[in-house]
Amino acid sequence: GLSSPALSYNLANAYYKTGDLGNAIAYYRKAELFAPRDADTSANLKRALSQTEDNIARKEVPSALRSFFFLYFYLGLQEQAKLALIFWIILWLVLSVFILSKNGSVRGVAKKLALLFLVLTLVFFASASYKYYDATHQGVVTDKEAKIHAGPDASYTEMFVLRSGSEVKVTRSQGNWKKILVNQEEEQ
């Protein structure tokens, strides 16, 4: 389907204006995935999260970790994927120079550049892959409330209720059932 930060942001705003915090938060998170530096998305997401009844949001990444992996947090998913592709193309161009060149010094430089672009390709591919994986394993309650059971169907004990806008991490899926983490405590 069609996906863009602007579309996700506008959908989030529309849901927010209708009082649907769950879908608003879900679409703000989607917009944030593709445009993590957008101040309006961050501000609106923060405002929506502050209005949830359960006040359950994702755990924030420590600032030291954010500083060390700044490109992961600074660049959106599409930017990381594009950089991986660009570095991969450059890698093949440099390898072509290495293969076709007869000059020893040119081959030496090409070999070092090929290694550099191989590492950059792998780093950005892995980063984009992990960002995508992480995004597809996050969830937001979009119904008014969701009854959380101890197992994969309603016959299991109801443990608690999550309300619209609560964020969870999905650790496993079985049909319509999701095993989730809420505040780093494993629940079903």
Side-chain angles (χ1 to χ4, degrees):
L2 183 62
S3 183
S4 76
L7 176 61
S8 296
Y9 176 75
N10 288 331
L11 282 168
N13 286 338
Y15 279 120
Y16 181 80
K17 288 178 182 176
T18 63
D20 186 345
L21 288 178
N23 278 306
I25 291 168
Y27 278 98
Y28 283 133
R29 287 292 189 194
K30 190 171 183 179
E32 180 184 58
L33 175 66
F34 294 107
R37 300 178 304 279
D38 185 74
D40 291 335
T41 299
S42 296
N44 289 0
L45 173 61
K46 187 175 180 180
R47 183 175 51 237
L49 287 170
S50 73
Q51 295 175 12
T52 61
E53 290 181 52
D54 293 332
N55 200 20
I56 297 174
R58 294 182 193 171
K59 295 276 186 197
E60 289 299 318
V61 177
S63 62
L65 201 56
R66 287 183 74 84
S67 296
F68 188 73
F69 294 106
F70 68 96
L71 284 177
Y72 175 82
F73 294 102
Y74 184 75
L75 298 175
L77 177 62
Q78 291 172 333
E79 293 168 319
Q80 290 180 8
K82 285 177 186 175
L83 281 172
L85 179 61
I86 289 167
F87 291 141
W88 183 77
I89 291 168
I90 294 171
L91 168 65
W92 283 103
L93 292 172
V94 170
L95 283 174
S96 297
V97 168
F98 175 78
I99 291 168
L100 297 173
S101 179
K102 304 277 189 239
N103 185 322
S105 61
V106 170
R107 287 177 59 94
V109 170
K111 185 176 179 180
K112 290 174 185 170
L113 285 173
L115 182 60
L116 170 68
F117 285 109
L118 174 64
V119 169
L120 288 171
T121 299
L122 293 174
V123 165
F124 280 96
F125 178 77
S127 180
S129 297
Y130 182 75
K131 191 172 269 240
Y132 176 79
Y133 172 84
D134 188 50
T136 58
H137 286 77
Q138 300 295 328
V140 179
V141 175
T142 56
D143 289 341
K144 287 223 180 265
E145 62 179 36
K147 295 178 181 178
I148 308 303
H149 294 269
D153 62 50
S155 67
Y156 285 82
T157 304
E158 183 180 318
M159 299 176 66
F160 55 90
V161 174
L162 291 175
R163 287 165 195 78
S164 183
S166 296
E167 294 186 287
V168 298
K169 183 169 183 77
V170 178
T171 60
R172 195 172 49 145
S173 295
Q174 179 181 331
N176 289 331
W177 174 77
K178 309 284 186 228
K179 187 172 186 178
I180 61 171
L181 291 174
V182 179
N183 283 343
Q184 303 302 316
E185 306 244 346
E186 195 161 334
E187 301 295 341
Q188 315 247 342

